[in-house]
């Protein structure tokens, strides 16, 4: 049986999301930020972040289809936009649940830059810089985390525990 240990409380998450929203608003200046969430992991994080950003902001979701193999090292093969999204000349903030090796995120950011946004920044709920296999900077992060996996606040393990109001590590 796996042991679940609370890593970040619901209150800590709420406080960090509010702080990140303020940081993003400051970074975007007068222009409305556009949050682009990567499904499925950002599906809880993005709406909370969006609601806390003062002023006008927009959002959309994309799905990244990964190659076969270990999801930490598999290369992304395809990006699916769930609705038509024009990011040209917009301040785009890519919202991801957990950033580990950086392989998927680097591929995704490269593809999105081709759509010519004004700015393109990476936002992570959990950042694991110790697991990077390539050079990647996370521009905004809620928490730095150690070795996972993690569950709660939309993060699932085997389709379970995503409904927890806090984030927990699983051993």
């Amino acid at each position: 049986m796996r042991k679940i240990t609370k890593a970040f409380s619901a209150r800590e998450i709420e406080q960090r999301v509010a702080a990140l929203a303020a940081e993003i608003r400051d970074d975007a200046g007068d222009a409305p930020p556009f949050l682009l969430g990567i499904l499925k992991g950002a599906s809880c994080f993005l709406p909370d972040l969006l609601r806390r950003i003062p002023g006008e902001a927009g959002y959309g979701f994309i799905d990244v289809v990964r190659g076969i193999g270990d999801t930490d090292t598999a290369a992304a093969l395809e990006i699916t936009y769930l609705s038509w999204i024009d990011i040209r000349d917009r301040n785009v903030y890519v919202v991801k649940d957990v950033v580990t090796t950086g392989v998927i995120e680097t591929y995704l950011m490269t593809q999105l830059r081709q759509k010519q946004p004004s700015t393109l920044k990476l936002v992570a709920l959990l950042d694991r810089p110790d697991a990077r296999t390539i050079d990647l900077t996370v521009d905004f992060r809620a928490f730095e985390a150690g070795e996972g996996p993690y569950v709660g606040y939309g993060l699932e393990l085997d389709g379970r525990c995503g409904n927890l109001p806090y984030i927990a590590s699983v051993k």
Side-chain angles (χ1 to χ4, degrees):
M1 182 164 180
R2 296 181 178 193
K3 180 181 178 186
I4 296 176
T5 305
K6 190 182 294 185
F8 305 105
S9 71
R11 182 164 173 77
E12 289 173 303
I13 295 168
E14 182 181 338
Q15 290 171 341
R16 280 301 299 142
V17 168
L20 278 176
E23 290 173 30
I24 289 170
R25 166 50 59 211
D26 288 345
D27 185 70
D30 293 334
F34 184 81
L35 305 182
L36 187 58
I38 302 174
L39 291 176
K40 160 173 163 183
S43 61
C44 288
F45 178 38
L46 184 142
D48 286 349
L49 184 60
L50 179 69
R51 284 189 291 267
R52 298 302 297 259
I53 294 175
E56 183 183 340
Y59 75 97
F61 285 98
I62 58 176
D63 195 12
V64 177
V65 178
R66 295 172 175 89
I68 298 171
D70 182 352
T71 57
D72 281 347
T73 58
L77 297 178
E78 180 182 328
I79 300 168
T80 303
Y81 293 84
L82 300 184
S83 60
W84 186 81
I85 300 169
D86 183 9
I87 63 171
R88 179 187 296 268
D89 300 325
R90 296 178 91 171
N91 292 321
V92 177
Y93 296 83
V94 177
V95 180
K96 179 91 168 44
D97 55 356
V98 183
V99 176
T100 53
T101 63
V103 172
I104 299 291
E105 296 80 9
T106 299
Y107 172 84
L108 177 61
M109 300 297 270
T110 300
Q111 297 301 310
L112 292 173
R113 275 189 199 92
Q114 294 176 12
K115 296 189 175 289
Q116 301 176 337
S118 291
T119 60
L120 185 63
K121 307 276 179 93
L122 182 58
V123 181
L125 175 61
L126 299 180
D127 184 18
R128 295 206 34 229
D130 63 309
R132 292 286 193 284
T133 58
I134 59 175
D135 186 30
L136 174 75
T137 300
V138 173
D139 300 289
F140 301 93
R141 68 175 174 216
F143 302 102
E144 186 171 317
E147 190 173 342
Y150 289 88
V151 295
Y153 195 63
L155 306 175
E156 295 181 327
L157 181 63
D158 300 328
R160 299 171 57 180
C161 299
N163 64 317
L164 297 174
Y166 54 86
I167 297 172
S169 64
V170 179
K171 304 290 182 210

